């Protein structure tokens, strides 16, 4: 008889690699929170001395220093004379003397609702001879131009729209030059120019 060999079993798989190292231990305690209170600021200045009151504790005592810079032909502030003349009817023309200076130098008898003034970039100059571009218009839209020219500190200028009377209110705008861009604006003011409140 013929004998056939029995096939051998297939080879066994290779052994598995050894296990990986175990995981590391969990982290230690979490970091502590940042400090709760920020550091205290430097100490503040010491309180001022208790104010002294004269007779009445509700009275406010204020010390004010005033500096006057006369312009034009005035030698000192005591020699500045402001003439107050009322007109009888609405004027055809008005003559102004340009002294320059900030709004706090304004002196007129009009109530606050009829006179307003705003300074920009330090206001107009006060040194005699320095020029500014002054434009005077009505306040209803600026369609009436009463004056538009360079004026030197100390000079007079006339506003008019003859043969017509001036409008009841005027807007005066002062620039540092003929270039009327916002950065050259020095002052704007509105005043009542009729005879009812001059």
């Amino acid at each position: 008889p013929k004998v056939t060999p029995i096939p051998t079993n297939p080879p066994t798989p290779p052994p598995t690699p050894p296990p990986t190292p175990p995981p590391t231990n969990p982290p230690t305690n979490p970091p502590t929170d940042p400090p709760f209170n920020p550091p205290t600021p430097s100490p503040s200045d010491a309180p001022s001395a208790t104010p002294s009151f004269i007779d009445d504790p509700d009275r406010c005592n204020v010390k004010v220093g005033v500096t006057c810079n006369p312009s034009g032909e005035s030698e000192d502030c005591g020699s500045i004379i402001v003439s107050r003349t009322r007109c009888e009817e609405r004027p055809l023309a008005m003559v102004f003397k340009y002294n320059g200076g900030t709004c706090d130098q304004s002196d007129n008898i009009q109530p606050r609702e009829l006179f307003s003034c705003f300074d920009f970039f330090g206001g107009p100059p006060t040194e005699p001879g320095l020029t500014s571009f002054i434009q005077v218009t009505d306040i209803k839209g600026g369609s009436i131009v009463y004056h538009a020219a360079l004026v030197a500190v100390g000079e007079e200028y006339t506003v008019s729209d003859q043969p017509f009377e001036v409008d009841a209110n005027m807007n005066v705008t002062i620039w540092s030059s003929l270039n009327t861009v916002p950065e050259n604006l020095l002052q704007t003011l509105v005043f009542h120019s009729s005879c009812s409140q001059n």
Side-chain angles (χ1 to χ4, degrees):
K2 187 175 180 186
V3 177
T4 58
I6 299 173
T8 61
N9 291 331
T12 59
T16 60
T20 58
T24 59
N25 292 331
T28 59
N29 292 333
T32 59
D33 292 332
F36 179 71
N37 292 331
T40 58
S42 303
S44 60
D45 295 333
S48 60
T50 305
S52 60
F53 298 102
I54 301 172
D55 302 327
D56 184 2
D58 293 329
R59 181 175 163 182
C60 177
N61 297 314
V62 178
K63 182 178 181 180
V64 178
V66 177
T67 303
C68 174
N69 297 318
S71 61
E73 299 171 12
S74 300
E75 296 294 325
D76 58 61
C77 294
S79 65
I80 298 174
I81 299 171
V82 179
S83 61
R84 300 182 189 279
T85 306
R86 283 195 181 271
C87 55
E88 299 298 323
E89 54 190 50
R90 189 174 292 181
L92 295 172
M94 300 167 85
V95 177
F96 292 90
K97 182 174 182 179
Y98 179 49
N99 293 320
T102 57
C103 292
D104 58 3
Q105 297 178 18
S106 300
D107 184 16
N108 62 66
I109 58 175
Q110 295 191 353
R112 293 179 66 84
E113 62 270 11
L114 296 178
F115 177 82
S116 63
C117 184
F118 301 96
D119 290 317
F120 303 91
F121 305 107
T126 57
E127 185 179 331
L130 290 181
T131 60
S132 301
F133 179 66
I134 301 178
Q135 183 173 12
V136 183
T137 66
D138 66 305
I139 65 167
K140 297 175 185 171
S143 59
I144 303 171
V145 178
Y146 296 107
H147 175 86
L150 288 170
V151 180
V153 173
E155 285 184 348
E156 293 181 346
Y157 65 96
T158 302
V159 297
S160 68
D161 186 32
Q162 293 190 17
F164 305 106
E165 298 173 335
V166 298
D167 203 46
N169 297 285
M170 288 189 180
N171 181 21
V172 180
T173 309
I174 303 173
W175 287 275
S176 60
S177 73
L178 291 169
N179 186 5
T180 58
V181 294
E183 54 267 26
N184 289 342
L185 182 62
L186 298 175
Q187 189 176 81
T188 63
L189 66 97
V190 173
F191 71 97
H192 192 71
S193 47
S194 79
C195 283
S196 63
Q197 293 287 338
N198 68 343

